Every structure is written in structure tokens, then in C-alpha cells.
Amino acid sequence: MKVTAVYFSPTGNTKKSVEAMAAAVAGEEKYEILDLTPADCRNVVHEFGADEFVIFGMPVYAGRIPAVAAPRLDGLTGHGTPCILAATYGNRHYDDALAEMEDIAKAHGFVVKGAAALVGRHTYGMIQVGRPDEKDLKADAEFARKAAAGEGMKSVIPGKRPYKDGIPGGKFKPLTDRTCIGCGICRKGCPVGAIGEDFQVNPEVCISCFRCIRNCPVHAKNMDVEVYLAFAEKFTEELSKRRENEYFL
């Protein structure tokens, strides 16, 4: 059985969990990867057969899947293709994101055999740093094996319809200081092409994923301003209690 990991993962949380699941389902076989994170993946077209298996992964932004990511699924078509849905979130809540993913998957010809709400490091502050950890990934893999082997999903995926209002991106937009060496890592990796030739961030396009901050080799990309630092400290305290992953079969 051909297994494909499909994800939008600016900072790598979703990638880790989805690939752990894909490896578990594929077993000794090699699984495929369809990474929808790069900015040039807006018009990907791909069809999956009934004898294949797909793991879809999306991060949660304010209780929904990212507004820029949802359209990147438009060109994917299943033909009764079994799948798993994984929504990764930063320890607050996933709200309607899994329900939204379920509706998209079914509308595109996929059959949902399992769903998971998975905790990863939050974009802001120092919330659940290091997650998904080894314990998380082991549980992800075990869940994926059960979902793939099961006859069908019996659980009801949480979420409301209509979904809660989404937002295009967070209010904190990365800054660039004078230590920038112009290496281009941030510009090449930005999932929405929000970084210009001068390596400054266009706040009108940026989705506040903080990928550039996490990946800058000299820490030139930053959010070192009082308004953010104060917010991040408070937010970190509010979300300090560990939430566990939720699996639906």
C-alpha cells in the first residue's frame, strides 16, 4: 500500500507528527511526502487511488486551519482513499480545525479512518517547547497503525459548523535587525512569500508563523519588542499546563 504524508508545516511540528504516522503505516515500505508548505505549492494537483493511504496534517491558527493552507488542498483528489487527519495546536485548543479538515477531506473523495488533535510548541512564547516529544510521536505511530488496520471510524470528530471565524494571520510580524547577513534562508522558506529582496517582512502578507525567526542562523529575525515580550510571558503562563493529545478512531 502506498502511503503519503501531506502537510502544511511552517515550523516543523506538523511534519514530525505526520511523518511518524506515515512511517508507522508504511512499515518496511518507503512513504511519500507531499509538502504543501512552500509558497510555490499553491496549485499542486494530485490524485490518490482507493488502494493508497494518506495522512493529512495541518497546524491550527485561532481554532481553524490556516486560511492560506486550505486552498492548497484544492487540487488533491481521492477516489475512496482512506486517510487520517491530524491537527497540531499550541496547547490552547483546536476548536473547529479537525471538523474543517474532515469536511474538506470528504468533499475531495477521501474516507476518514481516524483523526488526531496533537499538541506541539506554540508559535508564541515558550509553550510546550520540545513537543511533539518522543512520547507524543510513539503514541502518534500507534494510533496510525490502529486507524489503518481498522474497518472504519466510529468516533465523532469534535467541532462546530459553521466554523468559528478565521483570521488570516497573527498580529505579531517578525522584525529584521542589522545583524542580517542576507543568507536568504528566511526568504526562500517563507510559506507565503512575505519576505522581500531586502529581507524585510511584508506585514500585509505575513501570517505570523515565525518560521523565519526559528530558522534564522544569526537571530536577525526577531520579535524583541516590549508589546510582544509582555504578551508572550503572560501567554506562556496561561498555557503552562500540559495538554495531552486526543485520538479519534
Side-chain angles (χ1 to χ4, degrees), residues 11-156:
T11 57
N13 291 339
T14 305
K15 168 184 165 69
K16 290 178 184 176
S17 295
V18 171
E19 290 194 7
M21 292 184 186
V25 176
E28 296 182 357
E29 301 297 322
K30 184 177 180 180
Y31 61 88
E32 302 292 324
I33 295 174
L34 182 54
D35 184 358
L36 299 179
T37 313
D40 60 1
C41 286
R42 300 174 187 180
N43 298 301
V44 173
V45 176
H46 195 97
E47 293 196 15
F48 299 90
D51 59 344
E52 299 184 52
F53 199 94
V54 179
I55 297 96
F56 289 104
M58 288 278 166
V60 178
Y61 286 11
R64 298 278 302 276
I65 62 175
V68 299
R72 300 186 189 193
L73 297 170
D74 287 347
L76 308 185
T77 303
H79 296 278
T81 310
C83 74
I84 289 172
L85 310 176
T88 61
Y89 69 105
N91 209 49
R92 185 193 65 79
H93 206 281
Y94 52 94
D95 297 307
D96 303 332
L98 268 182
E100 184 179 7
M101 291 180 71
E102 178 185 27
D103 292 344
I104 292 173
K106 290 182 176 179
H108 286 250
F110 294 91
V111 177
V112 180
K113 297 195 69 177
L118 309 174
V119 176
R121 179 181 177 180
H122 200 287
T123 298
Y124 301 150
M126 299 297 287
I127 301 165
Q128 296 301 302
V129 176
R131 296 188 73 186
D133 55 26
E134 185 176 345
K135 176 185 174 183
D136 292 323
L137 297 178
K138 183 177 180 180
D140 294 345
E142 181 60 26
F143 156 75
R145 283 190 285 265
K146 289 180 179 178
E151 295 182 0
M153 186 168 172
K154 298 179 176 61
S155 299
V156 175

Side-chain angles (χ1 to χ4, degrees), residues 164-198:
K164 66 181 296 184
D165 291 338
I167 58 175
K171 62 180 179 180
F172 298 112
K173 310 299 181 178
L175 306 173
T176 307
D177 66 30
R178 295 180 180 179
T179 63
C180 175
I181 59 175
C183 67
I185 290 175
C186 62
R187 189 163 184 259
K188 181 179 180 180
C190 180
V192 291
I195 301 175
E197 294 182 1
D198 59 355

